[in-house]
Amino acid sequence: MSHAANPQADPSFDFDLDGDTLREECGVFGIFGHPEASTIVALGLHALQHRGQEAAGIVSFDGNVFHSERRPGLVGDSFSDGETIARLKGRAAIGHVRYSTTGGTILRNVQPLFAELASGGLAVAHNGNLTNALSIRRDLVRDGAITQSTSDTEVILHLAARSRKPRIIERFIDALQAIQGAYAIVALTNKKLIGARDPLGIRPLVLGELDGRYMLASETCALDIIGARFVRDIENGEIVVISEEGIESIRFAEAAPMRPCIFEYIYFARPDSVVNGKSVYGVRKAIGRELAREAAVTADVVVPVPDSGVPAALGFAQETGLPFEMGIIRNHYVGRTFIQPTQSVRELGVRMKHSANRTAIEGKSIVLVDDSLVRGTTSVKIVRMMREAGAAEVHFRIASPPITYPDFYGIDTPEREKLLAATHDLEGMRKYIGADSLAFLSIPGLYRAMGEEVRNAACPQYTDHCFTGDYPTGLTDLSIAGPKRFAMLAEAD
């Protein structure tokens, strides 16, 4: 077993509260025909910043030339000044925020990616992960293709470039029909803004409207920030083409039941978003209520693990009648610069990000509510923090089932042997994190919170493989022998 036997008692145990969380890979945004296209895209990316904090990029088209700005760091670090936006000329633009799952954060991997095709320019931004990208890339390179990044998104550009179809939209469809996995894509051509959602609708994509101009975004919160109107969700297996002629809808895959990623509701999406017609905030509160029905405990207060545990903790408190208290305060204004190499200063840096609210928990039996448990290191730290602040008892409640399988669709999960629930039973997990009790939401409880009577085992309503091992698509790249990574020229940061 790779874990320490009793990490909560080990003062040298090295971890960061932000280092043991599930991370989404990216968010996308695009608009067509608006005089301030790049400004609107930058604002939309601000609203989607929670989906990726490592890099951001925008590509625009001014009727003659494509313009690109791609930078590491947060959206506000690069796209809040007038000079940068002024360089992104044109009435059409797409943008991307990135958390790397395939390929490191070197500038060549920062999206949108661009290529000049025989039929014109094509810029692509992609949210998700392709499960056959490695095998396709190897075939492309074997046939003489020259790749410039380690991003699976580049595969889409190559496939479109190699298509023999005359129209760029037909080339794009050829590319989509060759790939597997989860994706929401926005693409920009000389004349069109294109959106596409994978055949199962695993990743979200919505259509909005502002001043008669249409846009695409990963979440509705990005529409809200600019005052746009939500029109509809893009359907699974659908391409939408936005041009001066209006909107065209094309189905590129056979009709199939939708299976959206259930983690969008548990963790990834912003609480004020509506995903596939369901309020994320409402679902998370319902999850908390179900968790309370299944795993209530005698306690004094309910304390959320901020920020994603807050709605579920509210639901838990409302269902049990226990007081809700902000027993952990998160500082949103501390960056990575505070985390220094020495262990003693690293510990101080962690406490600058999250600190215990002693007056709310001292001498009390508390119920800690968090959205998920991955490796368990975060939970160890939180339990220790609560005890040091004087909590009499710490009961941990997880607002999702145990994560026992890794993800291959764009969620950054560790290998299975590093998932705590895959290597420990419930009592082993409780001892590991040092809680007085531990309980998870059941899979039936999760589906009830989603408004379903039961999980349909023959055709599940959601993509829930992290809990069940039921992967909804082929995982071609897992069967490839040899290295699972690309050789790549190293670049200085």
Side-chain angles (χ1 to χ4, degrees):
M1 185 177 298
S2 60
H3 303 290
N6 190 21
Q8 70 278 0
D10 180 3
S12 66
F13 193 61
D14 183 13
F15 48 75
D16 177 352
L17 273 175
D18 289 340
D20 179 33
T21 59
L22 297 170
R23 297 183 188 269
E24 175 64 283
E25 69 300 328
C26 22
V28 296
F29 193 97
I31 188 167
F32 186 86
H34 198 284
E36 297 184 272
S38 295
T39 299
I40 289 171
V41 170
L43 289 170
L45 294 181
H46 270 290
L48 298 173
Q49 188 75 85
H50 60 287
R51 299 185 75 89
Q53 298 88 46
E54 292 195 356
I58 297 176
V59 170
S60 67
F61 181 65
D62 66 7
N64 295 298
V65 178
F66 287 86
H67 304 272
S68 175
E69 294 281 344
R70 299 179 298 152
R71 310 278 181 81
L74 302 177
V75 177
D77 294 340
S78 301
F79 296 99
S80 58
D81 66 284
E83 291 183 5
T84 302
I85 296 298
R87 289 195 296 268
L88 292 164
K89 301 174 183 178
R91 297 170 60 87
I94 62 172
H96 186 269
V97 289
R98 172 181 176 79
Y99 174 78
S100 61
T101 54
T102 302
T105 307
I106 56 176
L107 193 58
R108 281 178 285 182
N109 284 335
V110 179
Q111 300 180 39
L113 301 184
F114 175 81
E116 191 71 42
L117 277 57
S119 50
L122 177 64
V124 176
H126 163 220
N127 166 29
N129 203 55
L130 307 183
T131 57
N132 64 340
L134 182 59
S135 58
I136 292 175
R137 180 183 290 261
R138 290 185 174 182
D139 290 341
L140 289 168
V141 172
R142 190 178 297 117
D143 291 343
I146 298 173
T147 60
Q148 295 296 317
S149 76
T150 60
S151 170
D152 56 351
T153 310
E154 189 178 7
V155 165
I156 299 169
L157 287 174
H158 277 283
L159 291 171
R162 292 166 69 89
S163 171
R164 299 304 181 190
K165 299 290 177 59
R167 297 173 60 229
I168 199 163
I169 189 63
E170 294 173 320
R171 289 169 172 257
F172 191 70
I173 291 171
D174 276 355
L176 295 185
Q177 290 177 337
I179 60 178
Q180 300 173 351
Y183 52 86
I185 298 171
V186 295
L188 185 63
T189 75
N190 303 57
K191 297 180 180 180
K192 298 175 173 66
L193 172 66
I194 304 169
R197 194 172 178 191
D198 66 74
L200 294 176
I202 298 173
R203 292 282 158 251
L205 189 65
V206 300
L207 177 69
E209 178 267 330
L210 177 68
D211 301 330
R213 304 300 180 180
Y214 289 98
M215 66 196 68
L216 298 161
S218 289
E219 293 183 37
T220 60
C221 66
L223 307 180
D224 296 337
I225 197 174
I226 59 172
R229 176 179 67 91
F230 169 75
V231 177
R232 67 176 178 89
D233 290 289
I234 305 306
E235 296 180 5
N236 52 314
E238 180 189 16
I239 292 175
V240 291
V241 182
I242 302 168
S243 66
E244 294 293 350
E245 287 73 45
I247 298 179
E248 179 185 9
S249 174
I250 302 168
R251 177 160 290 281
F252 70 90
E254 293 183 6
M258 186 181 291
R259 285 186 65 176
C261 177
I262 205 157
F263 264 110
E264 292 288 347
Y265 301 95
I266 294 170
Y267 179 79
F268 293 134
R270 234 171 65 166
D272 53 333
S273 284
V274 176
V275 178
N276 302 307
K278 294 183 184 294
S279 160
V280 174
Y281 180 76
V283 167
R284 289 179 186 169
K285 285 186 68 177
I287 285 173
R289 289 193 292 268
E290 285 292 337
L291 181 61
R293 295 181 190 119
E294 293 185 347
V297 63
T298 301
D300 299 314
V301 295
V302 176
V303 173
V305 177
D307 287 324
S308 54
V310 172
L314 276 171
F316 192 102
Q318 291 172 357
E319 182 67 22
T320 58
L322 293 173
F324 173 92
E325 296 286 355
M326 295 300 294
I328 302 171
I329 305 301
R330 180 177 179 184
N331 183 355
H332 293 265
Y333 305 102
V334 178
R336 293 182 181 180
T337 54
F338 281 96
I339 306 302
Q340 302 296 330
T342 62
Q343 173 62 21
S344 60
V345 179
R346 281 178 60 87
E347 287 290 325
L348 291 174
V350 167
R351 291 181 182 274
M352 291 179 73
K353 290 184 177 182
H354 295 80
S355 59
N357 183 6
R358 180 178 293 270
T359 58
I361 61 177
E362 188 171 18
K364 296 177 181 177
S365 174
I366 67 171
V367 181
L368 276 174
V369 179
D370 203 357
D371 59 86
S372 57
L373 188 151
V374 188
R375 290 178 300 172
T377 52
T378 295
S379 303
V380 172
K381 182 65 181 177
I382 293 170
V383 170
R384 183 195 298 169
M385 183 188 299
M386 295 296 95
R387 294 203 188 280
E388 290 175 354
E393 293 180 342
V394 181
H395 301 279
F396 223 116
R397 296 295 180 265
I398 308 298
S400 63
I403 298 173
T404 51
Y405 294 89
D407 179 79
F408 302 102
Y409 301 110
I411 304 171
D412 184 32
T413 53
E415 299 86 353
R416 192 175 188 206
E417 59 269 18
K418 294 181 181 178
L419 295 168
L420 190 67
T423 57
H424 295 67
D425 60 15
L426 185 64
E427 176 61 12
M429 286 188 281
R430 184 199 67 77
K431 289 181 178 178
Y432 179 82
I433 67 175
D436 292 285
S437 71
L438 173 67
F440 292 80
L441 181 67
S442 69
I443 292 174
L446 177 59
Y447 272 78
R448 285 193 297 270
M450 296 299 303
E452 306 288 343
E453 290 187 9
V454 295
R455 178 183 186 270
N456 183 345
C459 185
Q461 300 93 319
Y462 294 92
T463 294
D464 59 7
H465 51 277
C466 288
F467 311 131
T468 64
D470 185 351
Y471 294 94
T473 75
L475 301 175
T476 303
D477 287 347
L478 286 185
S479 63
I480 292 179
K484 292 294 194 297
R485 57 178 299 180
F486 312 120
M488 194 68 197
L489 176 68
E491 289 185 325
D493 292 334

